[in-house]
Amino acid sequence: MQKKQNTTGLIWFRNNLRTQDNTSIQKAIQNHDKIIAIYFFDPKYFKEDEFGFQKTAKFRAQFLLETITDLKQQLEELNITLLTFFDAPENQLLNITETYKVDTIYTQKEWTKEELDTNHLVLKTMSDTVNFVEDYDQFLYHPETVSNNFSNIPNVFTQFRKKLEKYVKIQEEVSIDKLEDSNLIPNPTEIPSLIELGFNDFVMPKKSAFPFKGGETAALQRLNYYLFESNKVGFYKKTRNGLVGIDYSTKFSPWLANGSLSARTIYYQIKKYEAEFGSNQSTYWVIFELIWRDYFKYISLKYGDEIFKIGGILERNYQWNVDKNCIQDWINGNTKDDFVNANMIELKETGWMSNRGRQNVASYFAKELLQDWRIGAAYFESLLLDYDVHSNYGNWMYVAGVGNDPRDRKFNTQLQAERYDANHKFRKLWLVKTLF
Ligand code: FAD
């Protein structure tokens, strides 16, 4: 394909914060002889939500800053300059396209409400001489290969997974070529500090189960460690319900959530591992879980804003309570249940909670305390390092009985504690206060 002469392609980074396997970068390089990149720390993601939680709390803010710092370096290696703004895209993009003679904006395709609102605001400011090229780049199974009518996506995960595994091929990763260094431009912008974003500096507790940094470099190191250095992937199915330590599960989720790691990259690295060391149930099970991740994205494509509504995708008319003291006790780890409390304290102190923990505290919130599940989901949205709109709201609906669980279970948190924390190691870690 012929490159357009004297035009600039602008890569607008959103939740695709990586340089490997990135369709927007690949397309921009194919089409233009000049390329720049941009990222917005949009103030709307740092404001309070309707329930009074800050939409992004300090843990994910710090992780995002580390991610963008790394992205800037990785792009520099490709001779692409990353401009960064602590401002809304709709306030800046018009000016940027005029200053740098941008012809086309390349970005990841998003479909949830807040992202679409931003798109509309941006498009309103922009002349129609600027093209928008949006690509789904957050999936394992690309939507183009799965469905041209998302209303046909099955509501039961197993049906969805079996069909995909049988009929759909996972696309290859895209490759990216380096540009000439003449593509670099002077950069008048700087990445804001945590304090500028409105937070105090903090130190992550040493006992955090997620002591890693944000960014593609750290993500690829973790991937390599979990597969090839430690062989942990070969035991994943036996350890994945763990609660203590860094290796019981992959811990890929925070990088996957902001796109600094691609699900396809994980898939092809697992295939490479299997070719060298053999496949087993555990190596498959990581892929199985990535299909769950895809599934919640397809459910949100199918149902749109329904995933945020109190009745969920099932439009259930349950009675929910909003008892502020009860909710605060859950948040602070002051309920009658010590297993729930330990998990909630872990989340509050580190921004991390295991999958086993999440299922229990969410079930307790929705089915024992009978509180409006959307408030629990909003609290998770604020605190979680790996917050992902589709996985969070999809899982919360599932646990609250307004989503995809065909069995509509309630977790017995006491039995769960006996089963997964028989020796109290996890509860001691988070409940026992030390003096020094
Ligand atoms: P692993 O066990 O190593 O799994 C590998 C990958 O598979 C994960 O990184 C993740 O991308 C995917 N995955 C695993 N389990 C699930 C699942 N149940 N749903 C979707 N994808 C899954 N995950 C998020 O990424 N962001 C969220 O905001 C989020 N909110 C959740 C809220 C609730 C109430 C519950 C019950 C689960 C939530 N999860 C969420 C799913 C799951 O708990 C995390 O993905 C997982 O704990 C992350 O740890 P890991 O990377 O070590 O996972």
Side-chain angles (χ1 to χ4, degrees):
M1 193 148 102
Q2 184 109 57
K3 288 196 185 199
K4 297 183 191 173
Q5 296 300 308
N6 297 322
T7 63
T8 303
L10 175 66
I11 305 161
W12 171 17
F13 280 93
R14 301 173 92 172
N15 280 327
N16 57 341
L17 302 173
R18 61 178 183 273
T19 57
Q20 283 191 21
D21 191 30
N22 185 316
T23 309
S24 296
I25 306 182
Q26 189 204 39
K27 284 196 176 169
I29 292 179
Q30 275 169 357
N31 294 337
H32 303 269
D33 52 5
K34 195 94 201 139
I35 289 157
I36 52 176
I38 199 159
Y39 182 78
F40 297 98
F41 294 86
D42 189 337
K44 87 174 178 190
Y45 293 109
F46 298 92
K47 293 210 168 106
E48 267 191 15
D49 66 17
E50 58 181 304
F51 303 113
F53 302 121
Q54 189 171 23
K55 278 186 81 64
T56 305
K58 63 182 180 186
F59 303 112
R60 199 164 69 254
Q62 173 70 26
F63 193 77
L64 179 62
L65 287 171
E66 290 161 0
T67 305
I68 299 301
T69 305
D70 187 58
L71 178 68
K72 193 172 177 179
Q73 281 164 10
Q74 299 310 313
L75 285 168
E76 233 164 69
E77 301 280 313
L78 296 173
N79 289 320
I80 300 173
T81 306
L82 178 70
L83 307 173
T84 52
F85 292 90
F86 182 22
D87 198 0
E90 60 270 23
N91 296 338
Q92 293 288 341
L93 271 172
L94 174 64
N95 185 24
I96 296 288
T97 54
E98 288 174 352
T99 309
Y100 296 98
K101 298 195 170 39
V102 170
D103 166 83
T104 307
I105 297 178
Y106 297 86
T107 192
Q108 177 163 287
K109 189 165 175 63
E110 306 284 353
W111 61 91
T112 30
K113 185 177 179 324
E114 288 170 0
E115 287 69 22
L116 289 185
D117 288 348
T118 298
N119 285 1
H120 291 142
L121 290 171
V122 166
L123 288 171
K124 259 211 260 174
T125 67
M126 209 71 75
S127 75
D128 47 13
T129 52
V130 180
N131 305 308
F132 269 85
V133 176
E134 296 178 291
D135 280 284
Y136 290 115
D137 222 8
Q138 55 277 71
F139 288 83
L140 182 60
Y141 286 92
H142 197 285
E144 269 166 23
T145 62
V146 173
S147 178
N148 47 24
N149 181 359
F150 297 123
S151 63
N152 293 333
I153 297 294
N155 276 351
V156 177
F157 170 70
T158 311
Q159 290 172 13
F160 170 82
R161 175 181 60 79
K162 285 192 171 157
K163 279 220 160 151
L164 255 57
E165 287 178 331
K166 194 161 176 195
Y167 298 111
V168 187
K169 192 176 168 337
I170 292 170
Q171 291 182 343
E172 297 295 324
E173 294 172 83
V174 302
S175 61
I176 312 281
D177 298 324
K178 188 173 172 168
L179 285 103
E180 300 292 328
D181 58 8
S182 58
N183 185 63
L184 288 167
I185 55 165
N187 190 347
T189 67
E190 273 188 39
I191 298 174
S193 65
L194 191 63
I195 290 166
E196 282 165 330
L197 290 183
F199 301 90
N200 293 325
D201 281 328
F202 68 95
V203 181
M204 185 65 98
K206 281 206 177 72
K207 58 186 179 180
S208 166
F210 192 92
F212 309 108
K213 283 211 171 312
E216 181 173 27
T217 305
L220 294 173
Q221 272 166 8
R222 173 69 185 172
L223 179 61
N224 190 50
Y225 167 82
Y226 199 77
L227 275 55
F228 298 99
E229 279 176 33
S230 71
N231 265 313
K232 298 277 180 201
V233 70
F235 306 91
Y236 167 76
K237 193 152 184 264
K238 295 193 184 78
T239 61
R240 58 183 279 272
N241 282 308
L243 299 159
V244 179
I246 58 175
D247 285 340
Y248 58 82
S249 63
T250 67
K251 306 288 169 72
F252 295 155
S253 57
W255 294 293
L256 279 165
N258 72 19
S260 45
L261 181 60
S262 138
R264 279 189 300 244
T265 300
I266 299 174
Y267 176 82
Y268 283 108
Q269 286 299 309
I270 291 179
K271 290 291 136 192
K272 188 173 158 214
Y273 176 92
E274 289 178 340
E276 272 177 52
F277 304 105
S279 60
N280 61 25
Q281 280 199 350
S282 286
T283 56
Y284 165 69
W285 215 260
V286 176
I287 297 166
F288 175 95
E289 293 297 343
L290 288 175
I291 304 176
W292 265 111
R293 175 177 175 273
D294 264 19
Y295 183 57
F296 285 124
K297 294 191 187 303
Y298 282 101
I299 288 298
S300 105
L301 276 167
K302 175 173 179 178
Y303 287 100
D305 289 351
E306 300 297 303
I307 65 169
F308 303 118
K309 294 196 179 144
I310 194 158
I313 59 172
L314 296 180
E315 299 182 34
R316 284 279 147 81
N317 202 8
Y318 294 143
Q319 284 303 309
W320 298 99
N321 303 315
V322 181
D323 175 336
K324 286 203 168 128
N325 291 333
C326 175
I327 294 169
Q328 209 49 50
D329 283 344
W330 178 75
I331 287 175
N332 291 332
N334 276 333
T335 72
K336 291 189 193 124
D337 189 301
D338 63 350
F339 187 54
V340 170
N341 294 345
N343 278 292
M344 292 305 294
I345 291 169
E346 181 185 24
L347 177 62
K348 195 175 183 188
E349 292 188 6
T350 69
W352 179 264
M353 194 192 293
S354 68
N355 184 54
R356 185 55 40 190
R358 294 180 204 201
Q359 288 177 321
N360 275 278
V361 303
S363 176
Y364 190 81
F365 187 84
K367 294 204 167 140
E368 181 68 30
L369 302 176
L370 304 172
Q371 299 300 309
D372 180 345
W373 67 271
R374 295 170 310 160
I375 300 176
Y379 180 66
F380 267 37
E381 170 169 354
S382 175
L383 269 277
L384 278 177
L385 275 163
D386 66 10
Y387 167 67
D388 168 284
V389 55
H390 321 286
S391 288
N392 193 51
Y393 285 86
N395 273 290
W396 268 96
M397 281 194 302
Y398 189 99
V399 177
V402 297
N404 299 83
D405 187 358
R407 286 182 284 171
D408 193 11
R409 285 159 283 191
K410 175 178 172 184
F411 279 75
N412 181 330
T413 50
Q414 299 296 316
L415 283 183
Q416 290 272 310
E418 274 169 37
R419 183 157 174 205
Y420 296 103
D421 190 33
N423 54 15
H424 287 247
K425 200 173 162 190
F426 175 71
R427 276 166 288 177
K428 276 192 197 134
L429 187 63
W430 296 104
L431 295 177
V432 174
K433 299 255 180 288
T434 44
L435 270 179
F436 302 105

